[in-house]
Amino acid sequence: MPESAAKRRERAGKILTELKKLYSGADCALHHKSALELLVATILSAQSTDENVNRVTKDLFKKYKKPADYLAVPVEELEEDIRSTGFYRQKTKSVRAMSQALLDDFGGKVPDEMDDLIKLRGVARKTANVVLGTWFKKNEGIAVDTHVGRLAHRWELTPNSKDSKDAVKIEKDLMDTFARDDWTFVSHATILHGRQVCGAKKPDCKSCTLRKLCPSVDQFL
Ligand code: SF4
């Protein structure tokens, strides 16, 4: 018999309790000291690892301190500065267009509203959620990256259907499941669990303390 919504929420509550035990201080792994730095780092993190982005931004953020700085250099120079994060041409376009929009529409500051953030080039809900949750401490949604998407399916908190890769749908299902106050934590902690225990290819179910709550455990043991 399929699990009822009430039972699913109850199970999700237990998963959350365990995540809080495992990852009580879970936070964004991208190094940053301002909303702008976090926004740029999150744009650069697409198709890259946080470690790689942190390596690049260590020098990048010494050179580019405000939106105008990303526009003051030739395009090729910024491309070279972020090259090792991959897709550097596209990311350069995004960072420059985003910087221009910050100057034109937001007085050079990163806005703290979802509707404003997602108007910026290169900024979809995932990036906006990272900035809102991590920097502005606003639970507006749940950042769904590859780890959160994979674990939401393994935990069966979102259905495996033809739109199962749709991050917005996954986010909505998770938002319907967890209390708003927990949204940012759910994202950070799930990413850590995906990295440390429940990898894409070889989930370590034997040592996973969530296995009694996880409907996928039989697939991998
Ligand atoms: S039991 Fe296995 S599949 Fe389920 S969360 Fe843990 S590692 Fe992932």
Side-chain angles (χ1 to χ4, degrees):
M1 205 167 69
E3 184 180 41
S4 68
K7 283 279 172 207
R8 190 170 63 252
R9 279 203 193 93
E10 190 185 322
R11 187 170 55 81
K14 290 178 184 168
I15 289 174
L16 179 62
T17 301
E18 188 58 26
L19 289 176
K20 284 183 175 172
K21 274 193 226 157
L22 292 169
Y23 310 110
S24 62
D27 202 354
C28 179
L30 294 167
H31 297 168
H32 62 279
K33 292 201 198 82
S34 68
L36 178 65
E37 287 186 1
L38 180 57
L39 183 52
V40 171
T42 311
I43 291 171
L44 299 184
S45 72
Q47 311 293 322
S48 186
T49 64
D50 290 349
E51 293 72 25
N52 194 26
V53 171
N54 287 339
R55 256 194 306 277
V56 169
T57 56
K58 192 162 176 266
D59 291 329
L60 193 79
F61 292 158
K62 284 183 199 152
K63 181 172 171 182
Y64 303 87
K65 295 182 188 301
K66 50 191 191 307
D69 296 338
Y70 291 99
L71 300 162
V73 297
V75 173
E76 298 74 23
E77 188 173 330
L78 180 54
E79 284 180 350
E80 204 48 44
D81 287 339
I82 65 167
R83 188 186 189 98
S84 64
T85 67
F87 299 95
Y88 60 94
R89 290 207 172 97
Q90 199 53 42
K91 289 177 184 175
T92 296
K93 278 187 193 148
S94 293
V95 169
R96 285 171 62 89
M98 177 274 286
S99 299
Q100 189 66 61
L102 291 184
L103 290 170
D104 291 346
D105 302 329
F106 300 103
K109 299 232 178 323
V110 176
D112 64 353
E113 296 293 337
M114 175 66 79
D115 287 348
D116 291 333
L117 279 165
I118 58 175
K119 281 185 200 139
L120 300 170
R121 177 161 176 163
V123 179
R125 279 192 67 92
K126 186 194 91 170
T127 300
N129 277 325
V130 171
V131 173
L132 289 170
T134 305
W135 185 261
F136 292 110
K137 308 295 177 207
K138 285 173 122 180
N139 281 305
E140 293 294 318
I142 297 177
V144 176
D145 74 344
T146 178
H147 300 290
V148 176
R150 182 174 72 254
L151 270 65
H153 285 106
R154 286 183 179 168
W155 292 337
E156 295 188 6
L157 300 180
T158 191
N160 284 297
S161 57
K162 67 177 178 345
D163 59 355
S164 64
K165 285 202 187 325
D166 180 347
V168 174
K169 167 79 170 63
I170 297 167
E171 183 188 354
K172 185 177 177 312
D173 289 339
L174 293 176
M175 287 161 73
D176 287 344
T177 302
F178 294 102
R180 187 177 189 125
D181 282 353
D182 292 314
W183 288 352
T184 301
F185 174 79
V186 163
S187 179
H188 291 326
T190 304
I191 290 168
L192 285 178
H193 198 65
R195 284 195 180 132
Q196 295 178 14
V197 183
C198 189
K201 291 193 180 135
K202 280 195 183 168
D204 185 6
C205 301
K206 277 197 182 129
S207 67
C208 180
T209 52
L210 291 170
R211 62 184 177 276
K212 287 202 174 117
L213 302 164
C214 178
S216 300
V217 64
D218 293 341
Q219 280 177 45
F220 301 111
L221 271 180

PDB file of all heavy atoms in Angstrom, residues 67-68 71 96-111 120:
ATOM      1  N   PRO A  67      30.310  45.024  -7.540  1.00  0.00           N
ATOM      2  CA  PRO A  67      29.791  44.671  -8.870  1.00  0.00           C
ATOM      3  C   PRO A  67      30.552  45.363 -10.005  1.00  0.00           C
ATOM      4  O   PRO A  67      30.856  44.739 -11.032  1.00  0.00           O
ATOM      5  CB  PRO A  67      28.330  45.125  -8.811  1.00  0.00           C
ATOM      6  CG  PRO A  67      27.961  45.035  -7.372  1.00  0.00           C
ATOM      7  CD  PRO A  67      29.205  45.383  -6.617  1.00  0.00           C
ATOM      8  N   ALA A  68      30.896  46.635  -9.821  1.00  0.00           N
ATOM      9  CA  ALA A  68      31.568  47.381 -10.902  1.00  0.00           C
ATOM     10  C   ALA A  68      32.914  46.752 -11.273  1.00  0.00           C
ATOM     11  O   ALA A  68      33.363  46.860 -12.429  1.00  0.00           O
ATOM     12  CB  ALA A  68      31.773  48.838 -10.478  1.00  0.00           C
ATOM     13  N   LEU A  71      32.887  44.439 -14.133  1.00  0.00           N
ATOM     14  CA  LEU A  71      32.637  45.080 -15.433  1.00  0.00           C
ATOM     15  C   LEU A  71      33.833  45.912 -15.887  1.00  0.00           C
ATOM     16  O   LEU A  71      33.906  46.305 -17.047  1.00  0.00           O
ATOM     17  CB  LEU A  71      31.395  45.986 -15.333  1.00  0.00           C
ATOM     18  CG  LEU A  71      30.113  45.241 -14.951  1.00  0.00           C
ATOM     19  CD1 LEU A  71      29.047  46.200 -14.442  1.00  0.00           C
ATOM     20  CD2 LEU A  71      29.583  44.454 -16.138  1.00  0.00           C
ATOM     21  N   ARG A  96      28.811  39.060 -15.227  1.00  0.00           N
ATOM     22  CA  ARG A  96      28.816  40.458 -15.694  1.00  0.00           C
ATOM     23  C   ARG A  96      27.396  41.012 -15.817  1.00  0.00           C
ATOM     24  O   ARG A  96      27.122  42.150 -15.403  1.00  0.00           O
ATOM     25  CB  ARG A  96      29.566  40.573 -17.031  1.00  0.00           C
ATOM     26  CG  ARG A  96      31.087  40.477 -16.856  1.00  0.00           C
ATOM     27  CD  ARG A  96      31.791  40.369 -18.191  1.00  0.00           C
ATOM     28  NE  ARG A  96      31.576  41.533 -19.035  1.00  0.00           N
ATOM     29  CZ  ARG A  96      32.353  42.612 -19.019  1.00  0.00           C
ATOM     30  NH1 ARG A  96      33.378  42.678 -18.196  1.00  0.00           N
ATOM     31  NH2 ARG A  96      32.110  43.621 -19.824  1.00  0.00           N
ATOM     32  N   ALA A  97      26.485  40.230 -16.380  1.00  0.00           N
ATOM     33  CA  ALA A  97      25.100  40.703 -16.526  1.00  0.00           C
ATOM     34  C   ALA A  97      24.460  40.891 -15.144  1.00  0.00           C
ATOM     35  O   ALA A  97      23.729  41.860 -14.907  1.00  0.00           O
ATOM     36  CB  ALA A  97      24.290  39.703 -17.353  1.00  0.00           C
ATOM     37  N   MET A  98      24.757  39.966 -14.242  1.00  0.00           N
ATOM     38  CA  MET A  98      24.241  40.086 -12.882  1.00  0.00           C
ATOM     39  C   MET A  98      24.790  41.354 -12.218  1.00  0.00           C
ATOM     40  O   MET A  98      24.055  42.128 -11.605  1.00  0.00           O
ATOM     41  CB  MET A  98      24.648  38.824 -12.109  1.00  0.00           C
ATOM     42  CG  MET A  98      24.278  38.774 -10.655  1.00  0.00           C
ATOM     43  SD  MET A  98      25.487  39.555  -9.635  1.00  0.00           S
ATOM     44  CE  MET A  98      26.819  38.367  -9.663  1.00  0.00           C
ATOM     45  N   SER A  99      26.095  41.621 -12.393  1.00  0.00           N
ATOM     46  CA  SER A  99      26.712  42.815 -11.805  1.00  0.00           C
ATOM     47  C   SER A  99      26.082  44.085 -12.365  1.00  0.00           C
ATOM     48  O   SER A  99      25.802  45.042 -11.624  1.00  0.00           O
ATOM     49  CB  SER A  99      28.219  42.827 -12.090  1.00  0.00           C
ATOM     50  OG  SER A  99      28.828  41.692 -11.520  1.00  0.00           O
ATOM     51  N   GLN A 100      25.852  44.085 -13.681  1.00  0.00           N
ATOM     52  CA  GLN A 100      25.234  45.258 -14.318  1.00  0.00           C
ATOM     53  C   GLN A 100      23.832  45.489 -13.754  1.00  0.00           C
ATOM     54  O   GLN A 100      23.444  46.627 -13.446  1.00  0.00           O
ATOM     55  CB  GLN A 100      25.158  45.044 -15.843  1.00  0.00           C
ATOM     56  CG  GLN A 100      24.741  46.272 -16.634  1.00  0.00           C
ATOM     57  CD  GLN A 100      25.772  47.388 -16.561  1.00  0.00           C
ATOM     58  OE1 GLN A 100      26.914  47.230 -16.970  1.00  0.00           O
ATOM     59  NE2 GLN A 100      25.373  48.522 -15.989  1.00  0.00           N
ATOM     60  N   ALA A 101      23.071  44.399 -13.609  1.00  0.00           N
ATOM     61  CA  ALA A 101      21.700  44.529 -13.080  1.00  0.00           C
ATOM     62  C   ALA A 101      21.720  45.023 -11.626  1.00  0.00           C
ATOM     63  O   ALA A 101      20.863  45.819 -11.225  1.00  0.00           O
ATOM     64  CB  ALA A 101      20.983  43.183 -13.171  1.00  0.00           C
ATOM     65  N   LEU A 102      22.698  44.560 -10.848  1.00  0.00           N
ATOM     66  CA  LEU A 102      22.789  45.052  -9.462  1.00  0.00           C
ATOM     67  C   LEU A 102      23.009  46.560  -9.453  1.00  0.00           C
ATOM     68  O   LEU A 102      22.412  47.279  -8.651  1.00  0.00           O
ATOM     69  CB  LEU A 102      23.943  44.364  -8.715  1.00  0.00           C
ATOM     70  CG  LEU A 102      23.784  42.873  -8.408  1.00  0.00           C
ATOM     71  CD1 LEU A 102      24.975  42.371  -7.578  1.00  0.00           C
ATOM     72  CD2 LEU A 102      22.494  42.578  -7.667  1.00  0.00           C
ATOM     73  N   LEU A 103      23.872  47.042 -10.372  1.00  0.00           N
ATOM     74  CA  LEU A 103      24.141  48.483 -10.434  1.00  0.00           C
ATOM     75  C   LEU A 103      22.930  49.247 -10.960  1.00  0.00           C
ATOM     76  O   LEU A 103      22.572  50.301 -10.435  1.00  0.00           O
ATOM     77  CB  LEU A 103      25.345  48.742 -11.348  1.00  0.00           C
ATOM     78  CG  LEU A 103      26.698  48.287 -10.788  1.00  0.00           C
ATOM     79  CD1 LEU A 103      27.783  48.366 -11.844  1.00  0.00           C
ATOM     80  CD2 LEU A 103      27.074  49.128  -9.582  1.00  0.00           C
ATOM     81  N   ASP A 104      22.287  48.696 -11.994  1.00  0.00           N
ATOM     82  CA  ASP A 104      21.170  49.415 -12.627  1.00  0.00           C
ATOM     83  C   ASP A 104      19.921  49.440 -11.754  1.00  0.00           C
ATOM     84  O   ASP A 104      19.217  50.444 -11.694  1.00  0.00           O
ATOM     85  CB  ASP A 104      20.795  48.738 -13.966  1.00  0.00           C
ATOM     86  CG  ASP A 104      21.879  48.909 -15.017  1.00  0.00           C
ATOM     87  OD1 ASP A 104      22.775  49.752 -14.801  1.00  0.00           O
ATOM     88  OD2 ASP A 104      21.837  48.182 -16.030  1.00  0.00           O
ATOM     89  N   ASP A 105      19.642  48.309 -11.098  1.00  0.00           N
ATOM     90  CA  ASP A 105      18.317  48.166 -10.471  1.00  0.00           C
ATOM     91  C   ASP A 105      18.333  48.090  -8.949  1.00  0.00           C
ATOM     92  O   ASP A 105      17.282  48.224  -8.327  1.00  0.00           O
ATOM     93  CB  ASP A 105      17.631  46.888 -10.998  1.00  0.00           C
ATOM     94  CG  ASP A 105      17.494  46.913 -12.514  1.00  0.00           C
ATOM     95  OD1 ASP A 105      17.356  48.022 -13.060  1.00  0.00           O
ATOM     96  OD2 ASP A 105      17.537  45.833 -13.138  1.00  0.00           O
ATOM     97  N   PHE A 106      19.492  47.824  -8.352  1.00  0.00           N
ATOM     98  CA  PHE A 106      19.474  47.576  -6.908  1.00  0.00           C
ATOM     99  C   PHE A 106      20.550  48.373  -6.163  1.00  0.00           C
ATOM    100  O   PHE A 106      20.984  47.955  -5.076  1.00  0.00           O
ATOM    101  CB  PHE A 106      19.645  46.069  -6.634  1.00  0.00           C
ATOM    102  CG  PHE A 106      18.553  45.233  -7.246  1.00  0.00           C
ATOM    103  CD1 PHE A 106      18.792  44.520  -8.416  1.00  0.00           C
ATOM    104  CD2 PHE A 106      17.276  45.202  -6.696  1.00  0.00           C
ATOM    105  CE1 PHE A 106      17.784  43.766  -9.007  1.00  0.00           C
ATOM    106  CE2 PHE A 106      16.263  44.458  -7.288  1.00  0.00           C
ATOM    107  CZ  PHE A 106      16.508  43.731  -8.440  1.00  0.00           C
ATOM    108  N   GLY A 107      20.982  49.483  -6.735  1.00  0.00           N
ATOM    109  CA  GLY A 107      21.953  50.334  -6.047  1.00  0.00           C
ATOM    110  C   GLY A 107      23.264  49.631  -5.734  1.00  0.00           C
ATOM    111  O   GLY A 107      23.950  49.978  -4.769  1.00  0.00           O
ATOM    112  N   GLY A 108      23.595  48.613  -6.537  1.00  0.00           N
ATOM    113  CA  GLY A 108      24.866  47.905  -6.331  1.00  0.00           C
ATOM    114  C   GLY A 108      24.809  46.867  -5.223  1.00  0.00           C
ATOM    115  O   GLY A 108      25.822  46.254  -4.884  1.00  0.00           O
ATOM    116  N   LYS A 109      23.614  46.670  -4.661  1.00  0.00           N
ATOM    117  CA  LYS A 109      23.493  45.692  -3.555  1.00  0.00           C
ATOM    118  C   LYS A 109      22.758  44.434  -4.029  1.00  0.00           C
ATOM    119  O   LYS A 109      21.926  44.486  -4.928  1.00  0.00           O
ATOM    120  CB  LYS A 109      22.672  46.303  -2.418  1.00  0.00           C
ATOM    121  CG  LYS A 109      23.276  47.545  -1.800  1.00  0.00           C
ATOM    122  CD  LYS A 109      23.350  47.353  -0.300  1.00  0.00           C
ATOM    123  CE  LYS A 109      23.967  48.483   0.473  1.00  0.00           C
ATOM    124  NZ  LYS A 109      25.052  49.189  -0.084  1.00  0.00           N
ATOM    125  N   VAL A 110      23.052  43.321  -3.390  1.00  0.00           N
ATOM    126  CA  VAL A 110      22.333  42.070  -3.698  1.00  0.00           C
ATOM    127  C   VAL A 110      20.959  42.136  -3.029  1.00  0.00           C
ATOM    128  O   VAL A 110      20.876  42.361  -1.810  1.00  0.00           O
ATOM    129  CB  VAL A 110      23.122  40.844  -3.166  1.00  0.00           C
ATOM    130  CG1 VAL A 110      22.324  39.565  -3.398  1.00  0.00           C
ATOM    131  CG2 VAL A 110      24.480  40.756  -3.848  1.00  0.00           C
ATOM    132  N   PRO A 111      19.886  41.986  -3.807  1.00  0.00           N
ATOM    133  CA  PRO A 111      18.545  42.065  -3.198  1.00  0.00           C
ATOM    134  C   PRO A 111      18.272  40.859  -2.302  1.00  0.00           C
ATOM    135  O   PRO A 111      18.875  39.801  -2.467  1.00  0.00           O
ATOM    136  CB  PRO A 111      17.609  42.068  -4.420  1.00  0.00           C
ATOM    137  CG  PRO A 111      18.373  41.419  -5.507  1.00  0.00           C
ATOM    138  CD  PRO A 111      19.836  41.709  -5.250  1.00  0.00           C
ATOM    139  N   LEU A 120      17.867  38.083 -11.992  1.00  0.00           N
ATOM    140  CA  LEU A 120      19.277  38.287 -12.358  1.00  0.00           C
ATOM    141  C   LEU A 120      19.758  37.136 -13.231  1.00  0.00           C
ATOM    142  O   LEU A 120      19.432  35.972 -12.974  1.00  0.00           O
ATOM    143  CB  LEU A 120      20.141  38.343 -11.089  1.00  0.00           C
ATOM    144  CG  LEU A 120      19.795  39.451 -10.085  1.00  0.00           C
ATOM    145  CD1 LEU A 120      20.564  39.231  -8.788  1.00  0.00           C
ATOM    146  CD2 LEU A 120      20.119  40.818 -10.667  1.00  0.00           C
TER     147      LEU A 120
END
